[in-house]
Amino acid sequence: MKVNTRLFGEIDIADDKIITLPGGIIGFPDMQKFTLIYDSEEKDKQKQTAIMYLQSMDEPQFAMPVVVPGDIFPDYNPMIDDELLSDIGELTPENTYCLVTISVPSDVKKMTVNLKAPFIINTDTLKGAQIMVEDDVAVKTPIYDILAARKAGKEDS
């Protein structure tokens, strides 16, 4: 599938790289087809959390920056009602992929992630859902200091 995106220009995405979110995303229920775009070299470096983009295939001008929350908060394990995920297939630790949106304002020190509404993706079925969790976590959780400290620690070693 070819799509002309705002951030990445024209891209060709194989059908087996398209993630379906049957319920859409919060605020945009009609956006149901996405792909994950990332720099594989940057992701492999593991020096810092890699920012990826959840690119809409339904609305090519729409892409959200996302990160794996466990890369920043190793203990992040949102409590989710299994019924909310029934449309995406049986989940196991091996096939469950979690992403959260990241906000990087002009003042990068105010960078935050949304731990309240993660995306849960079944990598076997390529289906996912964005869920509002009941956990006591913030929609805007600051992460700049965590990432800066981690980067400084790795550069010193």
Side-chain angles (χ1 to χ4, degrees):
M1 172 184 267
K2 284 191 188 285
V3 64
N4 192 14
T5 70
R6 179 176 60 90
L7 296 176
F8 307 104
E10 185 174 83
I11 56 175
D12 192 9
I13 302 297
D15 287 345
D16 66 349
K17 301 292 183 194
I18 296 178
I19 301 162
T20 301
L21 305 177
I25 61 174
I26 295 171
F28 301 95
D30 294 335
M31 282 193 224
Q32 298 180 354
K33 302 282 185 192
F34 291 85
T35 194
L36 195 57
I37 298 175
Y38 58 93
D39 181 339
S40 59
E41 288 179 20
E42 188 64 32
K43 193 169 184 199
D44 290 341
K45 286 181 189 175
Q46 296 293 324
K47 286 190 175 182
Q48 59 187 8
T49 299
I51 294 177
M52 301 172 278
Y53 289 86
L54 198 57
Q55 171 66 54
S56 173
M57 302 303 286
D58 297 316
E59 178 52 58
Q61 300 302 304
F62 185 86
M64 292 182 290
V66 293
V67 295
V68 174
D71 289 352
I72 304 166
F73 301 101
D75 295 334
Y76 180 69
N77 187 19
M79 300 306 294
I80 300 170
D81 183 349
D82 291 343
E83 192 172 308
L84 296 174
L85 299 174
S86 62
D87 288 346
I88 69 172
E90 184 177 341
L91 292 170
T92 66
E94 294 77 29
N95 74 1
T96 302
Y97 195 58
C98 182
L99 296 168
V100 294
T101 56
I102 183 170
S103 174
V104 184
S106 55
D107 180 356
V108 74
K109 291 182 179 182
K110 294 183 179 177
M111 184 183 332
T112 62
V113 291
N114 179 352
L115 298 178
K116 195 74 171 168
F119 292 93
I120 307 299
I121 300 167
N122 181 326
T123 59
D124 291 339
T125 64
L126 291 177
K127 289 185 177 181
Q130 185 179 28
I131 305 295
M132 291 292 288
V133 298
E134 298 297 323
D135 304 38
D136 187 21
V137 291
V139 170
K140 292 186 177 233
T141 303
I143 60 169
Y144 178 81
D145 290 339
I146 295 167
L147 297 178
R150 185 175 299 155
K151 185 175 180 183
K154 286 196 176 184
E155 288 178 356
D156 292 341
S157 7

